[in-house]
Amino acid sequence: MHIAGLRPGRTEGEAELIGNLSLVGIRGRFCAILTERQLTLERFDGYGIRMDLESISKMRHMKVPSLPGGTPIIGAVAIGLGYSVLLPPVGWAVSVAGVISIMSYLSLRKSTLVIENGKERHMISGSDGALMRLCLMVDRVRSGDSVIDARIGLEDIAVSYTHLRAHETVLDLVCRLLLEK
């Protein structure tokens, strides 16, 4: 991590500020500053990462589990032991604990945006609305839109996200929002 430098000045043109983000593996809260040429992820003390938009090769928005990968296996073993080996009062409790561990693994996921540029990979976590807004704005600016034009239609992303249909994924929501424009 290095000092990202001065914030974009008036000569940079418009900038979009998206706050309350965190870089996975680095302590502290970050904000993303998007200009027409670069994306800066900066902490309050000035340290951060600066990426040219041209160098970004891939962006993915995904849900990353908060619990270790072996949690469902341990839950399945607990269910099996509780059902077949242990006596009823203790067996039921162990089986319920196994079900709870599997359900916790499936439901406790945090939203993450992965940005790859060259040999580096940066994982940003935050709210779904902020990450989707950042991802869509970076994509639009990279395709030639100005920052002002990239904002159009994204004002309601946080509101629309709270009205997700039961069967929709984040990708379905983004597609639905783009089709409704």
Side-chain angles (χ1 to χ4, degrees):
M1 182 120 88
H2 59 279
I3 293 180
L6 298 174
R7 290 184 172 84
R10 294 178 192 261
T11 58
E12 289 271 338
E14 277 292 314
E16 178 74 12
L17 179 70
I18 299 174
N20 206 19
L21 304 172
S22 62
L23 277 169
V24 175
I26 298 176
R27 214 171 200 175
R29 302 304 286 176
F30 285 76
C31 67
I33 304 165
L34 176 65
T35 64
E36 293 185 14
R37 291 184 292 161
Q38 65 188 10
L39 173 64
T40 304
L41 302 169
E42 188 174 304
R43 208 166 46 188
F44 72 94
D45 59 0
Y47 285 93
I49 299 166
R50 178 176 292 145
M51 295 175 267
D52 288 331
L53 294 181
E54 297 171 354
S55 69
I56 295 175
S57 59
K58 190 186 295 186
M59 290 189 313
R60 292 183 310 245
H61 185 243
M62 62 177 72
K63 297 279 194 173
V64 177
S66 299
L67 297 174
T71 304
I73 296 169
I74 293 171
V77 168
I79 292 171
L81 285 175
Y83 180 72
S84 62
V85 176
L86 300 174
L87 296 175
V90 175
W92 294 338
V94 172
S95 294
V96 167
V99 168
I100 290 172
S101 66
I102 291 173
M103 296 303 290
S104 297
Y105 177 80
L106 295 175
S107 63
L108 294 176
R109 296 173 175 266
K110 68 179 161 181
S111 189
T112 305
L113 178 65
V114 179
I115 299 176
E116 296 180 16
N117 62 340
K119 296 180 182 179
E120 296 178 349
R121 179 178 295 156
H122 305 286
M123 297 176 70
I124 306 165
S125 66
S127 70
D128 282 324
L131 292 177
M132 285 181 9
R133 183 178 175 95
L134 177 62
C135 182
L136 289 171
M137 285 193 68
V138 168
D139 190 47
R140 289 178 179 183
V141 171
R142 285 179 62 210
S143 65
D145 288 350
S146 68
V147 174
I148 295 171
D149 292 339
R151 284 186 192 129
I152 297 172
L154 299 181
E155 299 87 11
D156 297 331
I157 259 191
V159 174
S160 296
Y161 190 76
T162 59
H163 300 294
L164 257 176
R165 297 181 184 130
H167 63 280
E168 267 186 330
T169 64
V170 173
L171 186 58
D172 294 333
L173 172 69
V174 171
C175 291
R176 180 168 56 90
L177 289 174
L178 290 174
L179 289 173
E180 286 176 358
K181 287 191 344 178

